[in-house]
Amino acid sequence: MRLPDYHTHSARCGHASGTPAEYVKAARVAGLLAIGVADHLPLLPEPDPELSMEACELGDYVGEVLELKAAFPGFVLLGVEADYRPETVSEARSLLESQPFDYVIGSVHHLGDWGFDDPRQMEGYSSRKIDDVWVDYFELVGEAAESGLFTILGHLDLVKKFGYRPTRVLNTELDRLMERISRAGVAIEINTAGLHKPVKEAYPSAAILLRLRGADIPITFGSDAHRPEEVGRDFAHAAGLARAAGYDSFATLEPDAAGGRAGVRQTQLPAAETGRPDEPGRAGNAAGRP
Ligand SMILES: [Zn+2]
Ligand SMILES: [Zn+2]
């Protein structure tokens, strides 16, 4: 599939396998348009060796991906996935500014101290009202959009990961979120990892994708690969989701020669491949963290 995969990890984060070079190789074999390596930024305020590299490893990570970027100009980008946590915004900002990232994926994985998508912390769902979890989550995602830290927001409806759905349609909340995202000018990824989690669908849902399209918000693609063989996984399905929502183009990131953040350009979505249904694959780990 001639699409870029801007969301991939590496063994440095402590819950993935493979080197950035192996992910780049997988992207070349899969015939992708480009690959962005976007491993987890050191977790703030406290490191967790199962969730991200440590701050002292960041320079090595960046150096390694920059070498690949130089070896495959225009094909490899240096990205990073950063957690949005209101109490660590200024620390995150200085870490992000300390390195020449082409782009930053912003993700909300925590509500306060609760890592709601962490299989080790699932008991947190039993002590909360699920609608409140969703409302609080979308509020934080809106803040993340407005923080100015991020190019792309990751897995926009991640709270559905384990199958916990709100009991009502969150119309007001979603309208407000679309407005905030649109004003902030960030892109949203279609993230295929959700297909391999208990919820068994991509992030975000088809209904949210329709709203994004309605608000003219650009989309990108990400597999959230935590193993090299997951690079570009289910991208035919993802392209089908984009087309079904009314998209005919997607955002590509163009590295800035002066060392700043990448520019964003619109590229035509490839046509559906005939004879190959947009069916997602079925293999994969069911409970790992995205
Ligand atoms: Zn991860
Ligand atoms: Zn994530």
Side-chain angles (χ1 to χ4, degrees):
M1 229 330 121
R2 294 289 289 168
L3 294 174
D5 187 344
Y6 291 134
H7 194 152
T8 69
H9 292 276
S10 80
R12 273 204 176 81
C13 68
H15 59 276
S17 62
T19 61
E22 290 170 321
Y23 286 75
V24 169
K25 186 175 175 208
R28 295 176 71 211
V29 169
L32 295 186
L33 190 62
I35 178 169
V37 183
D39 213 348
H40 296 279
L41 189 76
L43 186 66
L44 299 164
E46 294 296 327
D48 179 333
E50 290 183 43
L51 294 184
S52 77
M53 67 182 99
E54 290 190 45
C56 62
E57 297 174 86
L58 187 58
D60 285 349
Y61 164 69
V62 167
E64 193 175 344
V65 180
L66 285 180
E67 269 180 36
L68 290 162
K69 188 178 157 181
F72 302 100
F75 185 70
V76 176
L77 284 91
L78 168 63
V80 73
E81 179 180 14
D83 286 78
Y84 178 78
R85 306 183 81 171
E87 63 279 17
T88 64
V89 165
S90 59
E91 283 169 88
R93 193 180 304 275
S94 23
L95 264 188
L96 291 171
E97 283 172 358
S98 74
Q99 303 293 341
F101 295 116
D102 290 313
Y103 67 98
V104 182
I105 299 175
S107 295
V108 174
H109 296 113
H110 297 87
L111 295 173
D113 288 334
W114 178 38
F116 63 83
D117 80 314
D118 188 334
R120 299 170 298 179
Q121 301 185 43
M122 280 195 58
E123 77 290 342
Y125 285 94
S126 55
S127 57
R128 290 171 173 88
K129 288 192 182 131
I130 191 62
D131 289 358
D132 294 345
V133 172
W134 279 82
V135 169
D136 292 352
Y137 171 77
F138 281 145
E139 179 57 29
L140 275 182
V141 173
E143 274 183 33
E146 288 167 352
S147 70
L149 293 175
F150 308 122
T151 323
I152 299 168
L153 294 181
H155 38 62
L156 193 68
D157 55 357
L158 179 63
V159 253
K160 74 182 178 187
K161 176 177 176 178
F162 298 114
Y164 296 105
R165 303 280 191 173
T167 65
R168 60 183 174 86
V169 182
L170 302 174
N171 271 320
T172 319
E173 292 81 1
L174 280 168
D175 284 349
R176 179 169 140 76
L177 181 61
M178 295 304 118
E179 262 179 51
R180 298 174 86 180
I181 292 171
S182 170
R183 263 203 314 269
V186 293
I188 302 301
E189 65 172 8
I190 297 185
N191 179 317
T192 51
L195 290 160
H196 304 275
K197 308 299 181 199
V199 68
K200 287 193 164 46
E201 66 174 42
Y203 311 106
S205 66
I208 293 179
L209 267 177
L210 271 177
R211 285 178 187 263
L212 291 163
R213 178 72 197 96
D216 214 15
I217 292 165
I219 49 164
T220 62
F221 295 92
S223 64
D224 215 338
H226 283 71
R227 294 181 300 177
E229 58 267 35
E230 293 168 1
V231 171
R233 185 162 61 159
D234 298 319
F235 271 20
H237 175 71
L241 290 174
R243 283 189 293 264
Y247 281 96
D248 56 13
S249 65
F250 59 94
T252 49
L253 302 173
E254 312 291 328
D256 173 27
R261 294 275 174 87
V264 175
R265 205 177 66 189
Q266 286 296 315
T267 300
Q268 195 70 23
L269 257 181
E273 289 175 43
T274 48
R276 285 189 58 185
D278 292 339
E279 271 296 299
R282 283 285 154 232
N285 85 20
R289 191 175 191 264

